[in-house]
């Protein structure tokens, strides 16, 4: 039976992020990140990555794509991408189209956002929180490419690097590695969190 997982903000090769996460070297960070994905996501499983596979830059992106392809895709995992601001293929970048073919050689799909039905709720997938939903800086950046909160839907996102997983008031679930001990989040865990919150809303 196929299991579906979600994660975000791998930041492979990103010196600043590896330092913040407590690693002595970028290489040690990258081994831990990829090792955690490989251990959790089995052959035949599906992984959704909600952006920022690297620090950006041509060499950094190509290195991250190669690591993901070798460790996951070539070993029978299906990987989808909702790109983030560090991914050249995101349409916020002027030259996004030039990266399209390279990203699609690795990812089964590449789209700026997506929608699913989880725990009976409408759930959007995006790298970014809702408009006005926070950032890891004092300002909410990239407002023009963020989704608007419709008042009922949930949102799975990354980007903030927050250690907190859930924002009940805004119906946002942060699935980035920083909130989940550098591990991907199984669909069952997301279903439980959204279902429990929804039950509380209706009680």
């Amino acid at each position: 039976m196929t299991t579906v997982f979600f994660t975000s903000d791998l930041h492979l090769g990103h010196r600043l992020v590896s330092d913040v996460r407590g690693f002595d070297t970028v290489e040690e960070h990258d081994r831990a990140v990829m090792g955690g994905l490989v251990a959790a996501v089995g052959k035949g499983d599906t992984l959704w990555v909600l952006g920022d596979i690297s620090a950006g830059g041509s060499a950094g992106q190509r290195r991250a794509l190669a690591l993901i392809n070798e460790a996951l895709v070539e070993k029978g995992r299906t990987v989808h991408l909702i790109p983030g601001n560090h991914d050249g293929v995101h349409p916020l970048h002027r030259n996004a189209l030039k990266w399209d073919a390279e990203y699609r050689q690795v990812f089964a799909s590449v789209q700026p956002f997506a929608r699913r039905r989880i725990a009976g709720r409408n759930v959007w997938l995006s790298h970014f929180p809702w408009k006005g939903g926070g950032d890891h800086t004092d300002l909410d950046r990239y407002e023009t490419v963020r989704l608007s909160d419709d008042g009922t839907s949930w949102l799975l996102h990354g980007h903030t690097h927050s250690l907190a997983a859930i924002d009940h008031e805004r119906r946002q679930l942060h699935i980035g590695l920083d909130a989940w001990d550098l591990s991907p989040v199984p669909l069952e865990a997301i279903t439980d969190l959204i279902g429990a919150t929804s039950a509380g809303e209706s009680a």
Side-chain angles (χ1 to χ4, degrees):
M1 182 177 177
T2 298
T3 302
V4 180
F5 294 86
F6 300 85
T7 193
S8 183
D9 298 280
L10 309 186
H11 285 285
L12 300 169
H14 199 307
R15 166 66 69 180
L16 176 59
V17 172
S18 68
D19 287 347
V20 170
R21 289 174 176 169
F23 292 92
D24 292 331
T25 66
V26 168
E27 291 74 21
E28 180 185 347
H29 167 267
D30 292 357
R31 283 194 299 270
V33 168
M34 293 308 300
L37 295 179
V38 170
V41 185
K43 185 176 181 179
D45 289 344
T46 297
L47 174 67
W48 286 81
V49 179
L50 271 56
D52 285 2
I53 65 171
S54 72
S58 296
Q61 290 181 82
R62 290 188 174 111
R63 176 178 175 273
L65 288 168
L67 287 172
I68 294 166
N69 190 55
E70 180 180 2
L72 297 170
V73 178
E74 291 182 355
K75 300 298 191 297
R77 283 81 165 173
T78 299
V79 189
H80 299 274
L81 179 69
I82 305 292
N85 51 291
H86 283 278
D87 304 314
V89 73
H90 194 292
L92 69 85
H93 297 292
R94 179 171 50 85
N95 294 320
L97 187 59
K98 81 171 189 177
W99 283 102
D100 189 70
E102 289 187 61
Y103 272 79
R104 290 182 188 277
Q105 287 177 358
V106 175
F107 294 102
S109 69
V110 178
Q111 50 190 328
F113 51 84
R115 184 170 65 90
R116 295 179 64 100
R117 193 77 176 170
I118 301 175
R121 301 296 292 268
N122 197 42
V123 180
W124 290 92
L125 315 182
S126 174
H127 176 68
F128 305 100
W130 295 124
K131 287 182 179 179
D135 208 307
H136 60 82
T137 66
D138 292 335
L139 298 174
D140 283 3
R141 301 167 299 158
Y142 308 108
E143 287 282 292
T144 56
V145 292
R146 293 191 186 206
L147 296 172
S148 296
D149 182 357
D150 61 10
T152 59
S153 297
W154 276 77
L155 176 70
L156 305 188
H157 70 90
H159 185 64
T160 64
H161 291 272
S162 171
L163 300 180
I166 192 164
D167 179 342
H168 295 91
E169 182 179 355
R170 291 191 174 101
R171 302 173 318 285
Q172 296 185 147
L173 189 58
H174 174 225
I175 51 81
L177 289 176
D178 301 282
W180 295 87
D181 196 26
L182 297 186
S183 297
V185 189
L187 176 60
E188 290 79 5
I190 293 171
T191 300
D192 289 345
L193 284 169
I194 292 177
T197 300
S198 299
E201 291 171 354
S202 59

